[in-house]
């Protein structure tokens, strides 16, 4: 079952300024910070999550991927591949140490236009 967007990822070279912008304008709340290849932060914006990365490779204001929340990443990953998507990151378990620990199973596919789509299943 598809539950909706899990989060939207925004890449910027103005990391702290971007966080403060969303907090001030949209009353976003910091959920916590984590690190992948770079520093990242989750902000709750209403009922949604904005994931901000301190990254310049895409240029400021670039949305790198969307994340679709589902109840079975592995099944949806296989279904997507059968429908023409390309594998980008195979299913794996993650844990993010935010204010509340977030455990999930994720995978990434590339859509038929090359767009990155994260499949996200909370544990």
């Amino acid at each position: 079952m598809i539950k909706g967007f899990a989060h939207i990822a925004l890449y910027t070279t103005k990391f702290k300024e971007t966080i403060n912008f969303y907090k001030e304008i949209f009353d976003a709340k910091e959920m916590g910070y984590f690190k992948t290849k770079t520093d990242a932060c989750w902000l709750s914006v209403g009922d949604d999550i904005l994931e901000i990365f301190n990254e310049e490779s895409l240029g400021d204001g670039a949305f790198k991927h969307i994340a679709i929340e589902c109840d079975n990443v592995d099944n949806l990953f296989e279904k997507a591949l059968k429908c023409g998507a390309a594998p980008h990151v195979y299913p794996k378990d993650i844990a993010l140490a935010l204010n509340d620990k977030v455990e999930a199973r994720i995978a990434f596919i590339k859509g038929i236009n090359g767009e990155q789509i994260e499949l996200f299943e909370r544990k």
Side-chain angles (χ1 to χ4, degrees), residues 8-24 28 30-43 50-56 59-62 98:
I8 297 173
L10 174 64
Y11 280 52
T12 180
T13 58
K14 302 175 193 96
F15 185 63
K16 287 289 186 189
E17 296 92 331
T18 300
I19 292 167
N20 289 334
F21 173 84
Y22 280 90
K23 287 169 62 176
E24 180 150 341
E30 289 182 17
M31 297 174 70
Y33 292 80
F34 62 98
K35 191 167 188 72
T36 56
K37 292 182 226 173
T38 184
D39 293 324
C41 175
W42 267 16
L43 297 175
L50 180 62
E51 182 177 52
I52 299 173
F53 287 93
N54 187 20
E55 174 69 51
E56 62 186 45
D60 283 330
L98 301 169

Side-chain angles (χ1 to χ4, degrees), residues 102-117:
V102 174
E103 293 182 357
R105 185 150 180 85
I106 65 168
F108 284 83
I109 57 170
K110 287 202 174 181
I112 60 171
N113 300 295
E115 68 275 22
Q116 284 190 43
I117 303 167

Side-chain angles (χ1 to χ4, degrees), residues 77-94:
F77 184 80
E78 291 304 318
K79 178 181 179 182
L81 297 184
K82 289 177 185 170
C83 292
H88 186 59
V89 175
Y90 284 86
K92 65 181 182 178
D93 294 321
I94 63 162

